Amino acid sequence: MAQAMDPALLEGLKQHLTMERQASVTYFAMALWFGERELRGFSHFLKEESSDEQEHAARFADYLIARGQTVVLEDLPAPRQNWSSAEQIFGAIFQMEADVTASLQQLYGMAERSDDVRTNVFLDPVVEGQIASENQAAHLLGRVRYAQNNPAAMLLIDGELSAGQHDPASMA
């Protein structure tokens, strides 16, 4: 049974689901770019990110279904597949993650304004995870920039990513 939702919030949730799906295909295209350059750690990391984004989209679909809403999947444009450098890719990743964060902040505000506590409760852990993703993207962009496209430094980062070492340092 459909539960009443603010129409703008409902549309925003549907748009965000599409944003997560687009992020998934974009990460997959980036994984291919690194795979073609024999940088398996980067490729593996980005393939996992693609899967994570697909899972995020599924969570939004599940939430909408739980609220009695119909989920219509929009067509996705083909992702960009040509970049000049790893730094350009990680700059795009950081921007993509920042855009997702901004979208979630807008949704959170819309839910608060429409007194939709259920949506805010749903969004709380999503926002927390997204902040961590944006921080991770900033960290990796910084590492790649610091490497200055030096092959040895890039191979070092590639090895770290293969070993699952991709989080920023923690002082806590």
Side-chain angles (χ1 to χ4, degrees):
M1 175 177 213
Q3 296 176 346
M5 290 183 79
D6 177 79
L9 175 59
L10 177 58
E11 183 58 30
L13 290 166
K14 290 178 178 182
Q15 288 175 358
H16 190 83
L17 185 150
T18 300
M19 178 182 263
E20 296 283 4
R21 290 177 56 235
Q22 185 66 48
S24 176
V25 297
T26 299
Y27 272 121
F28 191 75
M30 293 169 169
L32 292 172
W33 189 89
F34 281 104
E36 290 166 352
R37 284 150 186 82
E38 301 296 333
L39 291 166
R40 293 178 302 202
F42 281 100
S43 183
H44 178 75
F45 170 77
L46 294 169
K47 185 175 166 227
E48 284 183 350
E49 290 297 305
S50 175
S51 294
D52 288 349
E53 298 299 338
Q54 194 66 28
E55 183 180 319
H56 298 164
R59 283 187 201 153
F60 274 81
D62 287 345
Y63 179 71
L64 289 168
I65 291 167
R67 292 291 299 261
Q69 304 300 321
T70 300
V71 176
V72 177
L73 299 178
E74 302 291 328
D75 289 338
L76 297 177
R80 178 179 177 180
Q81 289 188 261
N82 296 309
W83 295 273
S84 61
S85 67
E87 183 177 340
Q88 188 181 44
I89 287 177
F90 277 91
I93 287 170
F94 176 75
Q95 186 58 58
M96 183 170 56
E97 293 295 347
D99 291 345
V100 170
T101 301
S103 173
L104 288 170
Q105 289 171 336
Q106 287 178 325
L107 289 172
Y108 202 91
M110 291 170 74
E112 283 183 329
R113 286 188 296 280
S114 63
D115 292 324
D116 191 333
V117 175
R118 189 170 176 186
T119 297
N120 284 119
V121 169
F122 164 72
L123 290 172
D124 279 334
V126 177
V127 170
E128 185 177 343
Q130 182 56 37
I131 290 168
S133 292
E134 188 176 333
N135 288 343
Q136 181 184 67
H139 165 71
L140 291 171
L141 174 58
R143 299 268 295 153
V144 168
R145 278 188 178 154
Y146 189 74
Q148 297 181 344
N149 212 29
N150 176 297
M154 292 300 291
L155 287 172
L156 179 68
I157 297 169
D158 189 64
E160 291 173 350
L161 291 173
S162 286
Q165 299 169 342
H166 43 73
D167 292 328
S170 174
M171 302 304 142

